[in-house]
Amino acid sequence: MEIQFQSDIGKRRQMNQDYANVFVNKQGYSLAILADGMGGHLAGDVASKMAVNGLGAVWEASEISDNEKASQWMIQQIQTENEAIYQEGIKNPEMHGMGTTIVSAALLNETFTLAHVGDSRAYYIHDGKMRQLTDDHSLVNELVKSGEITEEMAAIHPQKNVLTRSVGVSGNVEVDVTHHPVEADAYLLLCSDGLTNMVSEAEILTIVAGEEPLDGKTERLISQANEAGGSDNITVLLIHFKEVDQP
């Protein structure tokens, strides 16, 4: 298994509020996390780093090695980070209301456990096909699912960035958790909407399924988003399951 990730400020933002990292626990299992922060000056940056580093520190101290424990852990720890970010915003009025998306994958033998809140996405790519594994927690996605607007209308909707769920809110946050099997020579892509708003799924598939090294693929995805306008921060975390590890 190989993992590469890269984050870029894009062409129109003054700072990068995305953040990603990979952490390894005591059993040798990796947790990949990507967050897209939101809020005023510095606040989104603080929220995304708090979420990623907070989850990562607890993961590194854990001995989790199966899907069910990973699921329970993700729900509990994302809730902990939700409360920590909310309280940080209360203590610092200039950061009040800050929040972040999270998409995270615990990589466990021949499977992975995925948890997400918000509109950062996970895609599974194998055998020339790409499948979106996450469901955007956004206003426009709710309108699409209810049949009020089409996906084409959603792409240019003026409220396309309005989230229905994020990390950093008062009370409990609902976390979507799913388990997925892994196939040899498959890819898992975690990304912020700075990629998916700029680069089509067909273009993403062409790049990820190509022949160049994994770091070249992450760089090309970032470049494509910037060439298309780079209207937001762009973060790409790409995992290549070269072979399936048997438990």
Side-chain angles (χ1 to χ4, degrees):
M1 182 175 67
E2 183 184 359
I3 305 174
Q4 292 284 340
F5 61 93
Q6 186 174 340
S7 188
D8 190 87
I9 195 169
K11 291 193 166 181
R12 301 187 197 170
R13 295 296 173 96
Q14 299 299 309
M15 65 181 302
N16 193 347
Q17 296 190 324
D18 288 1
Y19 194 69
N21 211 337
V22 179
F23 304 87
V24 180
N25 75 2
K26 290 184 175 180
Q27 294 293 326
Y29 292 108
S30 295
L31 179 73
I33 320 169
L34 184 150
D36 178 356
M38 66 205 80
H41 182 61
L42 291 180
D45 177 42
V46 170
S48 60
K49 286 182 178 175
M50 280 184 69
V52 172
N53 292 333
L55 287 170
V58 184
W59 179 261
E60 286 178 333
S62 80
E63 297 189 0
I64 290 167
S65 59
D66 68 74
N67 285 310
E68 282 310 314
K69 286 182 179 173
S71 296
Q72 295 164 14
W73 183 91
M74 285 172 148
I75 292 167
Q76 180 181 342
Q77 293 305 320
I78 289 173
Q79 188 58 56
T80 298
E81 293 310 313
N82 177 69
E83 180 64 19
I85 292 166
Y86 176 72
Q87 291 299 332
E88 191 71 14
I90 295 291
K91 285 192 293 182
N92 299 280
E94 71 277 11
M95 296 180 185
H96 182 67
M98 70 176 174
T100 185
T101 70
I102 281 182
V103 59
S104 181
L107 310 171
L108 305 163
N109 289 321
E110 81 287 16
T111 64
F112 60 90
T113 297
L114 197 65
H116 91 286
V117 178
D119 63 355
S120 294
R121 293 179 180 177
Y123 290 95
Y124 186 76
I125 296 117
H126 180 254
D127 199 21
K129 297 173 185 172
M130 185 164 86
R131 183 163 49 100
Q132 185 176 333
L133 302 180
T134 51
D135 191 32
D136 290 354
H137 301 142
S138 66
L139 176 62
V140 293
N141 192 41
E142 293 297 323
L143 295 174
V144 169
K145 289 195 291 185
S146 67
E148 292 181 53
I149 64 172
T150 64
E151 292 201 5
E152 291 74 20
M153 292 164 69
I156 56 171
H157 197 282
Q159 292 179 296
K160 66 183 295 184
N161 294 323
V162 176
L163 298 182
T164 54
R165 283 190 228 170
S166 62
V167 177
V169 297
S170 174
N172 291 331
V173 62
E174 187 179 351
V175 182
D176 286 1
V177 179
T178 51
H179 307 303
H180 304 274
V182 168
E183 297 158 292
D185 199 32
Y187 295 86
L188 175 62
L189 169 65
L190 309 183
C191 60
S192 62
D193 64 351
L195 177 71
T196 50
N197 285 342
M198 294 283 109
V199 185
S200 71
E201 291 187 0
E203 290 176 287
I204 293 171
L205 175 59
T206 298
I207 292 169
V208 175
E211 296 298 319
E212 63 189 316
L214 202 65
D215 59 349
K217 292 177 181 181
T218 59
E219 287 172 12
R220 274 234 290 149
L221 289 168
I222 299 270
S223 295
Q224 286 287 102
N226 275 323
E227 286 172 21
S231 65
D232 199 354
N233 308 143
I234 312 143
T235 304
V236 170
L237 195 158
L238 191 56
I239 301 158
H240 184 199
F241 303 102
K242 296 180 181 180
E243 298 173 356
V244 177
D245 297 326
Q246 293 302 320

